[in-house]
PDB file of all heavy atoms in Angstrom:
ATOM      1  N   GLY A  59       5.205   7.870  10.525  1.00  0.00           N
ATOM      2  CA  GLY A  59       4.104   8.819  10.201  1.00  0.00           C
ATOM      3  C   GLY A  59       3.888   8.973   8.708  1.00  0.00           C
ATOM      4  O   GLY A  59       2.907   9.665   8.226  1.00  0.00           O
ATOM      5  N   GLN A  60       4.617   8.261   7.889  1.00  0.00           N
ATOM      6  CA  GLN A  60       4.473   8.423   6.383  1.00  0.00           C
ATOM      7  C   GLN A  60       3.145   7.765   5.995  1.00  0.00           C
ATOM      8  O   GLN A  60       2.722   6.726   6.539  1.00  0.00           O
ATOM      9  CB  GLN A  60       5.658   7.658   5.688  1.00  0.00           C
ATOM     10  CG  GLN A  60       5.635   7.722   4.168  1.00  0.00           C
ATOM     11  CD  GLN A  60       5.810   9.135   3.689  1.00  0.00           C
ATOM     12  OE1 GLN A  60       6.431   9.976   4.348  1.00  0.00           O
ATOM     13  NE2 GLN A  60       5.322   9.435   2.436  1.00  0.00           N
ATOM     14  N   ARG A  61       2.463   8.541   5.251  1.00  0.00           N
ATOM     15  CA  ARG A  61       1.164   7.932   4.698  1.00  0.00           C
ATOM     16  C   ARG A  61       0.905   8.035   3.190  1.00  0.00           C
ATOM     17  O   ARG A  61      -0.007   7.535   2.619  1.00  0.00           O
ATOM     18  CB  ARG A  61       0.038   8.859   5.289  1.00  0.00           C
ATOM     19  CG  ARG A  61      -0.017   8.612   6.793  1.00  0.00           C
ATOM     20  CD  ARG A  61      -0.431   7.185   7.288  1.00  0.00           C
ATOM     21  NE  ARG A  61      -0.663   6.989   8.658  1.00  0.00           N
ATOM     22  CZ  ARG A  61       0.418   6.557   9.517  1.00  0.00           C
ATOM     23  NH1 ARG A  61       1.635   6.289   9.006  1.00  0.00           N
ATOM     24  NH2 ARG A  61       0.204   6.430  10.769  1.00  0.00           N
ATOM     25  N   VAL A  62       1.897   8.649   2.428  1.00  0.00           N
ATOM     26  CA  VAL A  62       1.780   8.632   0.949  1.00  0.00           C
ATOM     27  C   VAL A  62       2.860   7.775   0.466  1.00  0.00           C
ATOM     28  O   VAL A  62       4.040   7.942   0.626  1.00  0.00           O
ATOM     29  CB  VAL A  62       1.939  10.069   0.539  1.00  0.00           C
ATOM     30  CG1 VAL A  62       1.828  10.234  -1.084  1.00  0.00           C
ATOM     31  CG2 VAL A  62       0.941  11.038   1.142  1.00  0.00           C
ATOM     32  N   PHE A  63       2.403   6.811  -0.453  1.00  0.00           N
ATOM     33  CA  PHE A  63       3.270   5.793  -0.965  1.00  0.00           C
ATOM     34  C   PHE A  63       3.055   5.627  -2.440  1.00  0.00           C
ATOM     35  O   PHE A  63       1.912   5.680  -2.938  1.00  0.00           O
ATOM     36  CB  PHE A  63       3.076   4.482  -0.395  1.00  0.00           C
ATOM     37  CG  PHE A  63       3.490   4.370   1.074  1.00  0.00           C
ATOM     38  CD1 PHE A  63       2.595   4.826   2.173  1.00  0.00           C
ATOM     39  CD2 PHE A  63       4.738   3.984   1.499  1.00  0.00           C
ATOM     40  CE1 PHE A  63       2.985   4.777   3.522  1.00  0.00           C
ATOM     41  CE2 PHE A  63       5.161   4.090   2.879  1.00  0.00           C
ATOM     42  CZ  PHE A  63       4.189   4.341   3.875  1.00  0.00           C
ATOM     43  N   GLY A  64       4.209   5.396  -3.137  1.00  0.00           N
ATOM     44  CA  GLY A  64       4.165   5.131  -4.610  1.00  0.00           C
ATOM     45  C   GLY A  64       4.473   3.634  -4.917  1.00  0.00           C
ATOM     46  O   GLY A  64       5.467   3.128  -4.352  1.00  0.00           O
ATOM     47  N   GLU A  65       3.680   3.204  -5.815  1.00  0.00           N
ATOM     48  CA  GLU A  65       3.960   1.849  -6.291  1.00  0.00           C
ATOM     49  C   GLU A  65       3.982   1.760  -7.799  1.00  0.00           C
ATOM     50  O   GLU A  65       3.363   2.410  -8.497  1.00  0.00           O
ATOM     51  CB  GLU A  65       2.847   0.837  -5.788  1.00  0.00           C
ATOM     52  CG  GLU A  65       2.831   0.652  -4.294  1.00  0.00           C
ATOM     53  CD  GLU A  65       3.868  -0.420  -3.814  1.00  0.00           C
ATOM     54  OE1 GLU A  65       4.390  -1.136  -4.721  1.00  0.00           O
ATOM     55  OE2 GLU A  65       4.028  -0.592  -2.530  1.00  0.00           O
ATOM     56  N   ASN A  66       4.748   0.819  -8.297  1.00  0.00           N
ATOM     57  CA  ASN A  66       5.036   0.577  -9.801  1.00  0.00           C
ATOM     58  C   ASN A  66       3.983  -0.389 -10.377  1.00  0.00           C
ATOM     59  O   ASN A  66       3.743  -0.149 -11.619  1.00  0.00           O
ATOM     60  CB  ASN A  66       6.350   0.181 -10.055  1.00  0.00           C
ATOM     61  CG  ASN A  66       7.265   1.405 -10.257  1.00  0.00           C
ATOM     62  OD1 ASN A  66       7.234   2.323  -9.515  1.00  0.00           O
ATOM     63  ND2 ASN A  66       8.146   1.270 -11.260  1.00  0.00           N
ATOM     64  N   ARG A  67       3.596  -1.350  -9.599  1.00  0.00           N
ATOM     65  CA  ARG A  67       2.826  -2.483 -10.192  1.00  0.00           C
ATOM     66  C   ARG A  67       1.556  -2.659  -9.345  1.00  0.00           C
ATOM     67  O   ARG A  67       1.591  -2.652  -8.241  1.00  0.00           O
ATOM     68  CB  ARG A  67       3.559  -3.751 -10.257  1.00  0.00           C
ATOM     69  CG  ARG A  67       4.773  -3.733 -11.231  1.00  0.00           C
ATOM     70  CD  ARG A  67       5.529  -5.139 -11.237  1.00  0.00           C
ATOM     71  NE  ARG A  67       6.558  -5.091 -12.181  1.00  0.00           N
ATOM     72  CZ  ARG A  67       7.802  -4.821 -11.850  1.00  0.00           C
ATOM     73  NH1 ARG A  67       8.194  -4.541 -10.542  1.00  0.00           N
ATOM     74  NH2 ARG A  67       8.875  -4.882 -12.733  1.00  0.00           N
ATOM     75  N   VAL A  68       0.487  -2.870 -10.140  1.00  0.00           N
ATOM     76  CA  VAL A  68      -0.911  -3.020  -9.465  1.00  0.00           C
ATOM     77  C   VAL A  68      -0.868  -4.249  -8.478  1.00  0.00           C
ATOM     78  O   VAL A  68      -1.223  -4.154  -7.322  1.00  0.00           O
ATOM     79  CB  VAL A  68      -2.029  -3.121 -10.479  1.00  0.00           C
ATOM     80  CG1 VAL A  68      -3.308  -3.491  -9.790  1.00  0.00           C
ATOM     81  CG2 VAL A  68      -2.160  -1.915 -11.348  1.00  0.00           C
ATOM     82  N   GLN A  69      -0.482  -5.361  -8.925  1.00  0.00           N
ATOM     83  CA  GLN A  69      -0.478  -6.647  -8.159  1.00  0.00           C
ATOM     84  C   GLN A  69       0.387  -6.534  -6.876  1.00  0.00           C
ATOM     85  O   GLN A  69       0.001  -6.917  -5.710  1.00  0.00           O
ATOM     86  CB  GLN A  69      -0.106  -7.792  -8.955  1.00  0.00           C
ATOM     87  CG  GLN A  69      -1.237  -8.208  -9.978  1.00  0.00           C
ATOM     88  CD  GLN A  69      -0.947  -9.408 -10.753  1.00  0.00           C
ATOM     89  OE1 GLN A  69      -0.212  -9.343 -11.744  1.00  0.00           O
ATOM     90  NE2 GLN A  69      -1.333 -10.634 -10.349  1.00  0.00           N
ATOM     91  N   GLU A  70       1.535  -5.883  -7.018  1.00  0.00           N
ATOM     92  CA  GLU A  70       2.443  -5.803  -5.902  1.00  0.00           C
ATOM     93  C   GLU A  70       1.838  -4.763  -4.943  1.00  0.00           C
ATOM     94  O   GLU A  70       1.945  -4.966  -3.673  1.00  0.00           O
ATOM     95  CB  GLU A  70       3.800  -5.373  -6.309  1.00  0.00           C
ATOM     96  CG  GLU A  70       4.788  -5.233  -5.169  1.00  0.00           C
ATOM     97  CD  GLU A  70       6.136  -4.765  -5.523  1.00  0.00           C
ATOM     98  OE1 GLU A  70       6.399  -4.412  -6.721  1.00  0.00           O
ATOM     99  OE2 GLU A  70       7.003  -4.561  -4.575  1.00  0.00           O
ATOM    100  N   ALA A  71       1.236  -3.740  -5.323  1.00  0.00           N
ATOM    101  CA  ALA A  71       0.649  -2.761  -4.539  1.00  0.00           C
ATOM    102  C   ALA A  71      -0.573  -3.458  -3.774  1.00  0.00           C
ATOM    103  O   ALA A  71      -0.685  -3.055  -2.549  1.00  0.00           O
ATOM    104  CB  ALA A  71       0.105  -1.573  -5.360  1.00  0.00           C
ATOM    105  N   GLN A  72      -1.298  -4.247  -4.372  1.00  0.00           N
ATOM    106  CA  GLN A  72      -2.392  -5.010  -3.775  1.00  0.00           C
ATOM    107  C   GLN A  72      -1.924  -5.774  -2.623  1.00  0.00           C
ATOM    108  O   GLN A  72      -2.441  -5.830  -1.367  1.00  0.00           O
ATOM    109  CB  GLN A  72      -3.184  -5.838  -4.748  1.00  0.00           C
ATOM    110  CG  GLN A  72      -3.951  -5.072  -5.789  1.00  0.00           C
ATOM    111  CD  GLN A  72      -4.593  -5.884  -6.766  1.00  0.00           C
ATOM    112  OE1 GLN A  72      -3.963  -6.898  -7.167  1.00  0.00           O
ATOM    113  NE2 GLN A  72      -5.746  -5.582  -7.267  1.00  0.00           N
ATOM    114  N   ALA A  73      -0.790  -6.524  -2.792  1.00  0.00           N
ATOM    115  CA  ALA A  73      -0.159  -7.302  -1.777  1.00  0.00           C
ATOM    116  C   ALA A  73       0.354  -6.475  -0.502  1.00  0.00           C
ATOM    117  O   ALA A  73       0.238  -6.897   0.575  1.00  0.00           O
ATOM    118  CB  ALA A  73       1.010  -8.193  -2.374  1.00  0.00           C
ATOM    119  N   HIS A  74       0.918  -5.295  -0.983  1.00  0.00           N
ATOM    120  CA  HIS A  74       1.363  -4.356   0.166  1.00  0.00           C
ATOM    121  C   HIS A  74       0.336  -3.688   0.945  1.00  0.00           C
ATOM    122  O   HIS A  74       0.519  -3.674   2.204  1.00  0.00           O
ATOM    123  CB  HIS A  74       2.303  -3.315  -0.506  1.00  0.00           C
ATOM    124  CG  HIS A  74       3.669  -3.662  -0.832  1.00  0.00           C
ATOM    125  ND1 HIS A  74       4.563  -2.898  -1.613  1.00  0.00           N
ATOM    126  CD2 HIS A  74       4.407  -4.824  -0.491  1.00  0.00           C
ATOM    127  CE1 HIS A  74       5.743  -3.540  -1.721  1.00  0.00           C
ATOM    128  NE2 HIS A  74       5.662  -4.567  -1.002  1.00  0.00           N
ATOM    129  N   TRP A  75      -0.688  -3.278   0.331  1.00  0.00           N
ATOM    130  CA  TRP A  75      -1.673  -2.332   0.923  1.00  0.00           C
ATOM    131  C   TRP A  75      -3.041  -2.712   1.165  1.00  0.00           C
ATOM    132  O   TRP A  75      -3.722  -2.098   1.920  1.00  0.00           O
ATOM    133  CB  TRP A  75      -1.653  -1.050   0.132  1.00  0.00           C
ATOM    134  CG  TRP A  75      -0.209  -0.528   0.155  1.00  0.00           C
ATOM    135  CD1 TRP A  75       0.640  -0.414  -1.081  1.00  0.00           C
ATOM    136  CD2 TRP A  75       0.613   0.076   1.068  1.00  0.00           C
ATOM    137  NE1 TRP A  75       1.837   0.078  -0.730  1.00  0.00           N
ATOM    138  CE2 TRP A  75       1.881   0.389   0.652  1.00  0.00           C
ATOM    139  CE3 TRP A  75       0.338   0.238   2.476  1.00  0.00           C
ATOM    140  CZ2 TRP A  75       2.878   1.094   1.359  1.00  0.00           C
ATOM    141  CZ3 TRP A  75       1.285   0.821   3.322  1.00  0.00           C
ATOM    142  CH2 TRP A  75       2.579   1.203   2.775  1.00  0.00           C
ATOM    143  N   ALA A  76      -3.489  -3.784   0.559  1.00  0.00           N
ATOM    144  CA  ALA A  76      -4.974  -4.109   0.521  1.00  0.00           C
ATOM    145  C   ALA A  76      -5.452  -4.396   2.055  1.00  0.00           C
ATOM    146  O   ALA A  76      -6.430  -3.809   2.413  1.00  0.00           O
ATOM    147  CB  ALA A  76      -5.263  -5.257  -0.335  1.00  0.00           C
ATOM    148  N   ASP A  77      -4.580  -5.094   2.733  1.00  0.00           N
ATOM    149  CA  ASP A  77      -4.891  -5.357   4.180  1.00  0.00           C
ATOM    150  C   ASP A  77      -4.660  -4.231   5.156  1.00  0.00           C
ATOM    151  O   ASP A  77      -5.031  -4.355   6.297  1.00  0.00           O
ATOM    152  CB  ASP A  77      -4.177  -6.629   4.583  1.00  0.00           C
ATOM    153  CG  ASP A  77      -4.703  -7.864   3.798  1.00  0.00           C
ATOM    154  OD1 ASP A  77      -5.950  -7.917   3.269  1.00  0.00           O
ATOM    155  OD2 ASP A  77      -3.997  -8.986   3.799  1.00  0.00           O
ATOM    156  N   ARG A  78      -3.798  -3.316   4.753  1.00  0.00           N
ATOM    157  CA  ARG A  78      -3.442  -2.159   5.685  1.00  0.00           C
ATOM    158  C   ARG A  78      -4.339  -1.005   5.506  1.00  0.00           C
ATOM    159  O   ARG A  78      -4.365  -0.163   6.398  1.00  0.00           O
ATOM    160  CB  ARG A  78      -1.963  -1.755   5.207  1.00  0.00           C
ATOM    161  CG  ARG A  78      -0.889  -2.748   5.642  1.00  0.00           C
ATOM    162  CD  ARG A  78       0.509  -2.310   5.319  1.00  0.00           C
ATOM    163  NE  ARG A  78       1.511  -3.161   6.018  1.00  0.00           N
ATOM    164  CZ  ARG A  78       2.156  -4.124   5.361  1.00  0.00           C
ATOM    165  NH1 ARG A  78       1.849  -4.431   4.092  1.00  0.00           N
ATOM    166  NH2 ARG A  78       2.986  -4.855   5.995  1.00  0.00           N
ATOM    167  N   ARG A  79      -5.099  -0.972   4.521  1.00  0.00           N
ATOM    168  CA  ARG A  79      -5.973   0.139   4.302  1.00  0.00           C
ATOM    169  C   ARG A  79      -6.906   0.537   5.574  1.00  0.00           C
ATOM    170  O   ARG A  79      -7.193   1.647   6.005  1.00  0.00           O
ATOM    171  CB  ARG A  79      -6.952   0.075   3.206  1.00  0.00           C
ATOM    172  CG  ARG A  79      -6.200   0.337   1.838  1.00  0.00           C
ATOM    173  CD  ARG A  79      -7.102   1.414   1.159  1.00  0.00           C
ATOM    174  NE  ARG A  79      -6.509   1.876  -0.145  1.00  0.00           N
ATOM    175  CZ  ARG A  79      -6.265   3.030  -0.441  1.00  0.00           C
ATOM    176  NH1 ARG A  79      -6.336   4.057   0.438  1.00  0.00           N
ATOM    177  NH2 ARG A  79      -5.780   3.325  -1.670  1.00  0.00           N
ATOM    178  N   ALA A  80      -7.475  -0.634   6.195  1.00  0.00           N
ATOM    179  CA  ALA A  80      -8.382  -0.522   7.371  1.00  0.00           C
ATOM    180  C   ALA A  80      -7.706   0.171   8.564  1.00  0.00           C
ATOM    181  O   ALA A  80      -8.277   0.902   9.178  1.00  0.00           O
ATOM    182  CB  ALA A  80      -9.036  -1.745   7.717  1.00  0.00           C
ATOM    183  N   ALA A  81      -6.370  -0.223   8.779  1.00  0.00           N
ATOM    184  CA  ALA A  81      -5.667   0.305   9.816  1.00  0.00           C
ATOM    185  C   ALA A  81      -5.275   1.750   9.636  1.00  0.00           C
ATOM    186  O   ALA A  81      -4.935   2.387  10.611  1.00  0.00           O
ATOM    187  CB  ALA A  81      -4.460  -0.665  10.098  1.00  0.00           C
ATOM    188  N   PHE A  82      -5.064   2.135   8.420  1.00  0.00           N
ATOM    189  CA  PHE A  82      -4.514   3.455   8.053  1.00  0.00           C
ATOM    190  C   PHE A  82      -5.384   4.185   7.084  1.00  0.00           C
ATOM    191  O   PHE A  82      -5.140   4.214   5.882  1.00  0.00           O
ATOM    192  CB  PHE A  82      -3.162   3.318   7.458  1.00  0.00           C
ATOM    193  CG  PHE A  82      -2.162   2.623   8.413  1.00  0.00           C
ATOM    194  CD1 PHE A  82      -1.846   1.333   8.334  1.00  0.00           C
ATOM    195  CD2 PHE A  82      -1.522   3.410   9.342  1.00  0.00           C
ATOM    196  CE1 PHE A  82      -0.884   0.791   9.179  1.00  0.00           C
ATOM    197  CE2 PHE A  82      -0.526   2.932  10.332  1.00  0.00           C
ATOM    198  CZ  PHE A  82      -0.284   1.537  10.234  1.00  0.00           C
ATOM    199  N   PRO A  83      -6.543   4.609   7.578  1.00  0.00           N
ATOM    200  CA  PRO A  83      -7.573   5.230   6.618  1.00  0.00           C
ATOM    201  C   PRO A  83      -7.081   6.517   6.034  1.00  0.00           C
ATOM    202  O   PRO A  83      -7.686   6.911   4.969  1.00  0.00           O
ATOM    203  CB  PRO A  83      -8.757   5.533   7.574  1.00  0.00           C
ATOM    204  CG  PRO A  83      -8.179   5.661   9.021  1.00  0.00           C
ATOM    205  CD  PRO A  83      -7.102   4.687   8.981  1.00  0.00           C
TER     206      PRO A  83
END
């Protein structure tokens, strides 16, 4: 149920979350 995440680098965050945004609005 966690929905708030912290990332240190822009590119790594893009890899982690860009495709997950649609599934977790």
Side-chain angles (χ1 to χ4, degrees):
Q60 182 67 27
R61 293 295 182 269
V62 181
F63 292 86
E65 292 276 351
N66 270 41
R67 296 183 176 92
V68 174
Q69 286 177 281
E70 184 184 1
Q72 288 171 329
H74 277 169
W75 301 110
D77 293 339
R78 289 183 167 94
R79 277 238 185 236
F82 299 96

